[in-house]
Amino acid sequence: MAGVNLHLRHSVTQLFPTISSPPHRQVQLGTSPSRVIVSNLRANSTAVAQTLRTTRRSDITASSSVGSSTTSSDSVVVDRDEEGRIPLLEVKDLRAVIVETRQEILKGVNLVVYEGEIHAVMGKNGSGKSTFSKVLVGHPDYEVTGGSIVFKGENLLDMEPEERSLAGLFMSFQSPVEIPGVSNMDFLNMAFNARKRKLGEPELDPIQFYSHLVSKLEVVNMKTDFLNRNVNEGFSGGERKRNEILQLAVLGAELAILDEIDSGLDVDALQDVAKAVNGLLTPKNSVLMITHYQRLLDYIKPTLIHIMENGRIIKTGDKSLAKLLEKEGYKAISG
Ligand SMILES: Nc1ncnc2c1ncn2[C@@H]1O[C@H](COP(=O)(O)OP(=O)(O)OP(=O)(O)O)[C@@H](O)[C@H]1O
């Protein structure tokens, strides 16, 4: 594994050669594979590897509301619904600005996701959907200026991006990053074992891991050749999307955030990806997906659909909302 780690360190250094210390906290990039997962955050950033800022805010705490509450060891107040369910994710009045320009993009987002639910976020171009998902995973381009995010009873804003990933938050990006010099197989093996360590579960050696991986390849209908290729290098748009779902299948996640997983997919690939996502659902985990199209929702049936406009969720409904959108456009919904 040492050789693999060296490769990984090398590739990370290539991607992010000039990371400097920000005024408050620095996310150290080293050999940890979960940090490489987080590399998507930075590689998708326009200001790659300059100053890494986290969305942490020491002064933000989760606020309470109606219903009974559960207090975790971190003093975060968790709301229950009428049935006593505890949210997997609870976002309250979330506000965020672009670090460089201080422009406010998220202007008070509220969202509650329970275990086993599928939520779809739709909205016009530029309404803030991707920003919302990137803020959830701690993208360094954005700074949270208000509100709260509680994930599994913990204050997400107190966690570094890597910690969020290890805690069970997975994000599939619109444009997944290439990682030269690191094979898909090595990447997945290390990321998988990092999560196992975090969960206090036994790690798998490369042979055990290979068996695990091959079963997941079938789920996403990918050939074994992809395991020896470097992560996303030379992959077509559709192959990258499948590879993202392979990562999700291998690593597992309590909350999978899928940003336009349907874009650039042909019909067969869309069905494969949707089948894989559906196959991963259990009563314990949830999906938050961003999409522009009703067609994805035909394959992955959402519990709720949210419409985002100008940095806020302005409407929530069932699948009839997406049908209305498809038929009449956003004018039927916008305020
Ligand atoms: N890092 C950034 N630098 C400059 N502007 C940004 C940045 N991130 C987001 N924005 C701006 O914030 C607004 C919301 O962008 P975002 O990508 O969240 O929208 P979206 O709803 O996902 O759009 P689309 O449907 O086109 O993907 C846009 O006007 C975008 O240009």
Side-chain angles (χ1 to χ4, degrees):
M1 247 5 215
V4 167
N5 276 328
L6 274 176
H7 268 305
L8 200 53
R9 183 181 293 141
H10 178 64
S11 75
V12 170
T13 313
Q14 276 183 324
L15 274 172
F16 314 113
T18 56
I19 295 166
S20 59
S21 296
H24 43 293
R25 286 187 81 179
Q26 182 179 13
V27 180
Q28 295 286 340
L29 285 176
T31 54
S32 162
S34 52
R35 285 177 180 151
V36 177
I37 293 175
V38 172
S39 70
N40 260 315
L41 300 178
R42 294 164 198 138
N44 280 283
S45 161
T46 48
V48 171
Q50 289 178 356
T51 302
L52 295 181
R53 296 175 201 223
T54 70
T55 51
R56 177 175 183 148
R57 263 171 41 101
S58 56
D59 56 337
I60 293 176
T61 52
S63 57
S64 59
S65 67
V66 284
S68 59
S69 322
T70 304
T71 306
S72 80
S73 56
D74 206 18
S75 313
V76 170
V77 178
V78 179
D79 298 332
R80 290 174 185 268
D81 71 355
E82 306 80 32
E83 296 162 31
R85 293 185 305 168
I86 296 172
L88 183 64
L89 176 77
E90 186 165 30
V91 179
K92 284 188 183 167
D93 198 26
L94 182 66
R95 291 170 181 273
V97 297
I98 298 168
V99 169
E100 262 189 27
T101 61
R102 311 306 297 170
Q103 183 192 351
E104 188 174 58
I105 305 296
L106 300 185
K107 301 176 180 175
V109 179
N110 291 290
L111 179 74
V112 180
V113 179
Y114 290 94
E115 286 176 343
E117 290 187 340
I118 300 176
H119 289 239
V121 179
M122 304 182 82
K124 286 183 193 170
N125 293 132
S127 55
K129 304 179 296 297
S130 292
T131 302
F132 175 47
S133 58
K134 288 191 266 186
V135 165
L136 288 178
V137 292
H139 196 295
D141 272 5
Y142 309 97
E143 185 182 314
V144 172
T145 52
S148 61
I149 312 175
V150 178
F151 178 61
K152 288 166 53 180
E154 289 184 45
N155 185 351
L156 200 72
L157 297 171
D158 266 351
M159 296 183 207
E160 298 290 4
E162 182 194 17
E163 293 167 331
R164 299 179 196 201
S165 159
L166 290 173
L169 202 59
F170 175 93
M171 180 162 174
S172 145
F173 286 82
Q174 273 188 42
S175 313
V177 64
E178 290 180 12
I179 309 181
V182 181
S183 77
N184 238 351
M185 169 92 162
D186 289 344
F187 173 77
L188 288 168
N189 196 351
M190 287 185 293
F192 178 85
N193 281 338
R195 182 109 206 277
K196 286 285 169 196
R197 280 195 295 278
K198 164 81 180 172
L199 295 171
E201 293 173 7
E203 297 179 29
L204 298 186
D205 66 36
I207 293 169
Q208 292 168 321
F209 180 70
Y210 185 76
S211 318
H212 172 67
L213 192 49
V214 167
S215 67
K216 302 299 179 188
L217 274 178
E218 284 165 17
V219 174
V220 284
N221 203 5
M222 277 175 89
K223 295 201 182 98
T224 44
D225 310 1
F226 281 91
L227 297 180
N228 296 323
R229 288 176 60 178
N230 293 338
V231 180
N232 288 323
E233 214 172 49
F235 286 22
S236 73
E239 288 165 352
R240 284 178 189 229
K241 297 283 167 147
R242 279 181 199 254
N243 203 41
E244 292 278 285
I245 300 302
L246 175 66
Q247 286 175 15
L248 172 60
V250 170
L251 302 177
E254 270 96 321
L255 180 64
I257 303 168
L258 309 178
D259 191 356
E260 295 194 24
I261 196 72
D262 48 345
S263 75
L265 292 184
D266 64 40
V267 178
D268 289 351
L270 177 66
Q271 287 183 5
D272 284 345
V273 162
K275 198 170 135 210
V277 172
N278 284 326
L280 298 171
L281 284 170
T282 72
K284 283 278 171 200
N285 56 22
S286 307
V287 172
L288 179 64
M289 55 187 180
I290 293 169
T291 183
H292 283 290
Y293 304 108
Q294 154 72 30
R295 64 173 193 164
L296 180 67
L297 309 181
D298 285 339
Y299 296 113
I300 306 174
K301 309 258 183 250
T303 317
L304 287 171
I305 295 174
H306 310 276
I307 308 297
M308 187 167 259
E309 186 177 287
N310 194 21
R312 286 192 195 92
I313 287 173
I314 57 153
K315 198 166 181 85
T316 293
D318 60 17
K319 59 183 188 307
S320 62
L321 202 51
K323 291 215 162 76
L324 178 68
L325 264 186
E326 193 93 331
K327 209 166 136 212
E328 298 185 28
Y330 283 101
K331 64 179 183 318
I333 288 165
S334 299

